[in-house]
Structures are given as C-alpha cells and as structure tokens.
C-alpha cells in the first residue's frame, strides 16, 4: 500500500506549466513580475492593502516583530499551543516570550488568560495570535483586550490562508499578519511566506529589511542590518498557480473533516476539534482527541497503529511551555494545551487524499479504538 502522508504538497500540471513559464521568462531572482502578481493576489484574498513575499513565515514574523520595535528585554505574548516558529523570532530579537493557554472552543489563545497576561505585562510590545489548524481565534475578544492595553497584534495566519472570522479573512486582522507557504500548508511554494498590513510604511520597511537593507542609490549603501528574506520569483509563479486552486483545496480538506467526523465522532470517546462556524475554517488539518474513559487506545497507540500500515498521523503541537528550549518561561495557564497535546492527534488531510485512502484511515481508527473499549 502506498504511504498516506499527513499533508503532502498537491502539485498539478498547471503548477508545472506556471513554473516553466517563469523559468522561460528568465526572471530567476528575488524580484520579478510573478512576485508582484502573487503579492497583489494574496493581499486581495486577505483584503489587505499591502504585502511582501518572503522565503518563510518565520522570516515574516521576525520582520513583523522587528518593525514593531521589539528588542532585547521586551515582552511578547504568544499562545503556548502552536508550532515553535510562532515564538522563535521573539527570541531572535532578544525579547522574552510569555506563553498563554488556549480555550477549548477553538483551541486558540484564551482571552481570559490573555487578560491575565496583559495585566501582568501591560508594556508587552506585541501579542502573536495564531489561528491553529486553520480555524481563527476569538478575535473580537482578543482585539478588544489588545485595544484596551494598546498592544499591537501580529496575526500568525501561517495555517489559515482562506479561513475567515465572522466574514473577515484570516490575514486581514492585526497590525501585521503573515501566511506560510511551507510544503505542508494548504498552498505551497516549497518554502515561503508573506507579510501583510494595511500600513504602507510597515510593508515598505519589511521589503527594505528583507532585501539586505540596501539604500536606493547606485552603489551598495547600508544604514541598517538587513536580511536575505525575499521569495524567489520562480516560487512566486508556483504560489500564484496554487492560489488559483485554493477554493478547491479548502473544499477537499473540508470533505475530509466531514467524512472523518460523520464516521468516527463519538465512537469510543473520539471527539473532533470543535468548529465554531463550519463555513469559516480552511480545514487545514483534521484533529481529534481520544477520551480514556471510553477506550484504552491512547494517542500514541493510535499513531503507532496507523504507522504500522503506512499512514502518517501526528500529535497535536506540543505546548511551547513544555519545550526544553522554553523551560522556565512565564506561562499563564497551560493545562488545556497540555490536555489537548496528551490526547490529540491530526489525521491525513491533504487536498490530494482520495476517498479510498481516507476510508483506509477511518477503518483503521475505528478498529483501533473499538479493540480497546473499556
Ligand atoms: C502556526 C505556525 N506559525 C509559523 C509557522 C512558520 O512558517 P514557515 O514554516 O513558513 O517558516 C508555521 C509553519 O510552518 C506554523 O504552523
């Protein structure tokens, strides 16, 4: 049986043709028409005025925080239930990450815990808000708090391109926002990201810093330390082609979630990640939790059983406050994230996953939990 991956790249003939067209144009550089086109198209999709394409989402967050003035000794608030890349750039700048637990409604930043964190750190330089697994955080409450404390939001929409929150696109919120086009994301440029804002000056600054901080004169003149963070024009061609397929990809991933849920929800204690509004997420990954009072099949038992038949599944993100590299960092709460990590996993969710492959996953999950019913 061919291996079933969690979220592999989905590359079409059109994508091949798009990359070939860029190569034929000879714009093989971190500038060019495909980049301009891709930036404008992603900004339009996210209802943002300005965007700059970069070589990763991590680079986008690094520039976002730097542009907001984050520096040594500053505090930046970040959810604990996320990938390490949501916090690493805080440390690149010598600032202190302060972690905040998630709520159970969407698995995102808990506004009550955020209030505690902001009260304790009223001079925080920024709040990073993540939309986990393609479902948006409770932005109304989070935005109200950040307004009250006058702290800017950086929206980590790495996993959420195409999702929305009460009609507002993911990536349209916060002072700055970013997407990732890493190989496992809903669209990919193999590696890539984009930083967005409605403030032209912020994006101009990011464009400048991300292109080696070169001054606009004939010779090479530098007044700031820059980075080599721009996306290649070749990869922008791939990104544009993938972006044109985004709605089909969301529909495919949603169909996986719905099929998994209708076959498995409630069975021997299986519960799916709660979805606040079914039309809002991009369904990047389907996630579930196991409840030991119904089945002795643990998260690791299930992942092992899937692996034994060449199906890739992964635990929910390990909370950052439990990561050795962040040991001792201040954390508000953390029990909810720990519980979701201990009992939660992600199922294969790629937009190229076939109905037959999905059924193989369903059958295996069903037999694994049923075989250990308590
Ligand atoms: C929540 C989150 N933030 C940030 C990133 C970083 O993006 P990249 O891999 O493009 O650097 C990722 C994904 O990789 C992510 O899932």
């Amino acid at each position: 049986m061919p291996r079933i991956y969690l979220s592999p790249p989905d590359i079409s003939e059109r994508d091949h043709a798009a990359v070939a067209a860029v190569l034929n144009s000879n714009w093989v550089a971190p500038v060019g028409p495909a980049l301009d086109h891709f930036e404008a198209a992603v900004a339009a999709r996210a209802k943002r005025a300005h965007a700059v394409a970069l070589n990763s989402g991590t680079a986008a967050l690094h520039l976002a925080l730097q542009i907001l003035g984050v520096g040594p000794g500053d505090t930046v608030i970040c959810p604990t239930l996320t990938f390490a890349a949501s916090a690493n750039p805080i440390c690149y700048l010598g600032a202190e990450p302060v972690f905040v637990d998630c709520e159970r409604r969407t698995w995102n930043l808990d506004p009550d815990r955020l209030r505690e964190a902001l009260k304790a750190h009223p001079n925080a330089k920024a709040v990073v808000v993540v939309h986990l697994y393609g479902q948006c955080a409770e932005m109304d409450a989070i935005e109200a708090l950040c307004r009250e404390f006058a702290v800017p939001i950086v929206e980590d929409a790495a996993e959420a391109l195409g999702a929305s929150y009460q009609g507002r696109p993911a990536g349209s919120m916060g002072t700055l926002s970013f997407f990732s086009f890493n190989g496992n994301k809903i669209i990919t440029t193999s590696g890539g990201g984009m930083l967005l804002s409605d403030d032209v000056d912020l994006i101009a600054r990011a464009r400048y810093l991300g292109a080696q901080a070169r001054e606009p004169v004939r010779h090479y003149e530098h007044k700031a330390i820059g980075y080599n963070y721009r996306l290649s024009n070749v990869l922008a061609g791939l990104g544009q082609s993938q972006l044109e397929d985004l709605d089909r990809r969301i529909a495919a991933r949603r169909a996986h979630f719905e099929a998994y849920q209708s076959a498995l929800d409630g069975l021997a204690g299986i519960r799916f990640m709660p979805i606040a509004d079914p039309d809002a997420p991009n369904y990047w990954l389907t996630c579930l939790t196991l409840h030991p009072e119904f089945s002795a099949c643990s998260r690791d038992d299930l992942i092992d059983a899937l692996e034994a038949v060449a199906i890739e599944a992964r635990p929910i993100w390990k909370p950052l406050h439990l990561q050795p590299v962040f040991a001792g960092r201040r954390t508000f709460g953390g029990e909810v994230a720990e519980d979701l990590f201990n009992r939660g996993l992600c199922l294969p969710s790629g937009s190229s996953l076939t109905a037959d492959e999905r059924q193989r996953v369903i059958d295996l999950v069903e037999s694994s939990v049923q075989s250990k019913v308590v």
Side-chain angles (χ1 to χ4, degrees):
M1 283 286 191
R3 183 166 172 77
I4 298 178
Y5 289 96
L6 188 76
S7 182
D10 183 358
I11 305 294
S12 67
E13 289 299 318
R14 274 186 72 237
D15 296 334
H16 283 263
V19 172
V22 182
L23 289 172
N24 286 335
S25 77
N26 212 33
W27 280 100
V28 183
V31 290
L35 266 174
D36 299 342
H37 191 183
F38 186 42
E39 286 172 350
V42 173
R45 178 81 196 206
K47 296 208 169 88
R48 278 292 202 188
H50 306 283
V52 55
L54 300 164
N55 55 22
S56 71
T58 309
L61 179 56
H62 186 193
L63 291 180
L65 295 174
Q66 180 159 339
I67 287 163
L68 291 174
V70 173
D74 287 336
T75 295
V76 175
I77 296 173
C78 174
T80 187
L81 190 68
T82 182
F83 182 45
S86 300
N88 284 337
I90 301 169
C91 300
Y92 301 166
L93 293 162
E96 301 278 333
V98 167
F99 296 119
V100 171
D101 207 353
C102 56
E103 35 75 8
R104 292 192 184 274
R105 297 174 295 274
T106 70
W107 298 8
N108 286 306
L109 198 64
D110 181 342
D112 295 332
R113 293 293 193 181
L114 176 60
R115 175 177 283 285
E116 288 170 31
L118 283 166
K119 271 189 178 163
H121 298 277
N123 296 324
K125 271 285 171 73
V127 175
V128 177
V129 181
V130 180
H131 304 315
L132 212 65
Y133 299 119
Q135 175 168 232
C136 288
E138 295 181 331
M139 292 305 292
D140 278 352
I142 292 168
E143 285 174 328
L145 277 169
C146 290
R147 259 195 310 275
E148 185 183 329
F149 286 86
V151 182
I153 292 174
V154 178
E155 195 195 347
D156 177 345
E159 302 173 1
L161 180 66
S164 62
Y165 173 78
Q166 297 182 3
R168 299 157 69 197
S172 68
M173 300 169 268
T175 305
L176 289 142
S177 55
F178 70 95
F179 297 115
S180 166
F181 310 125
N182 187 31
N184 63 359
K185 295 298 185 291
I186 197 157
I187 72 165
T188 186
T189 57
S190 78
M194 200 171 291
L195 182 65
L196 303 100
S197 178
D198 293 323
D199 184 328
V200 64
D201 294 334
L202 296 183
I203 295 302
R205 183 81 186 153
R207 200 179 286 284
Y208 162 81
L209 288 174
Q212 304 283 24
R214 191 177 163 197
E215 293 299 320
V217 295
R218 179 176 298 151
H219 63 276
Y220 285 87
E221 179 84 6
H222 302 277
K223 295 180 181 168
I225 299 293
Y227 306 93
N228 186 4
Y229 273 176
R230 286 288 272 149
L231 187 71
S232 159
N233 189 62
V234 178
L235 297 177
L238 174 59
Q240 178 63 33
S241 173
Q242 295 251 309
L243 182 67
E244 286 163 16
D245 189 37
L246 177 60
D247 291 324
R248 181 198 66 82
R249 288 161 183 256
I250 295 171
R253 287 180 188 258
R254 179 175 183 168
H256 299 325
F257 174 86
E258 289 173 354
Y260 284 134
Q261 190 182 40
S262 75
L264 299 169
D265 200 28
L267 190 88
I270 291 177
R271 284 274 176 271
F272 283 78
M273 184 175 93
I275 300 291
D277 167 4
D279 293 328
N282 71 358
Y283 293 93
W284 177 52
L285 293 184
T286 291
C287 306
L288 59 80
T289 50
L290 299 170
H291 293 252
E293 60 275 31
F294 297 97
S295 170
C297 179
S298 69
R299 177 201 75 186
D300 286 341
D301 292 338
L302 185 50
I303 293 176
D304 288 343
L306 289 161
E307 191 54 55
V309 292
I311 297 171
E312 183 186 25
R314 295 229 182 126
I316 298 301
W317 296 122
K318 179 173 176 177
L320 298 185
H321 71 275
L322 299 182
Q323 298 287 357
V325 70
F326 296 123
R329 300 288 186 173
R330 185 129 197 230
T331 305
F332 289 80
E335 305 77 21
V336 177
E338 286 175 29
D339 179 50
L340 294 173
F341 167 62
N342 288 332
R343 296 188 297 106
L345 67 146
C346 315
L347 294 178
S349 307
S351 49
S352 55
L353 184 78
T354 67
D356 284 350
E357 289 173 326
R358 188 175 67 210
Q359 194 58 48
R360 265 176 66 199
V361 180
I362 290 173
D363 292 344
L364 205 286
V365 173
E366 189 173 345
S367 61
S368 300
V369 295
Q370 295 281 33
S371 70
K372 293 196 175 179
V373 166
V374 290

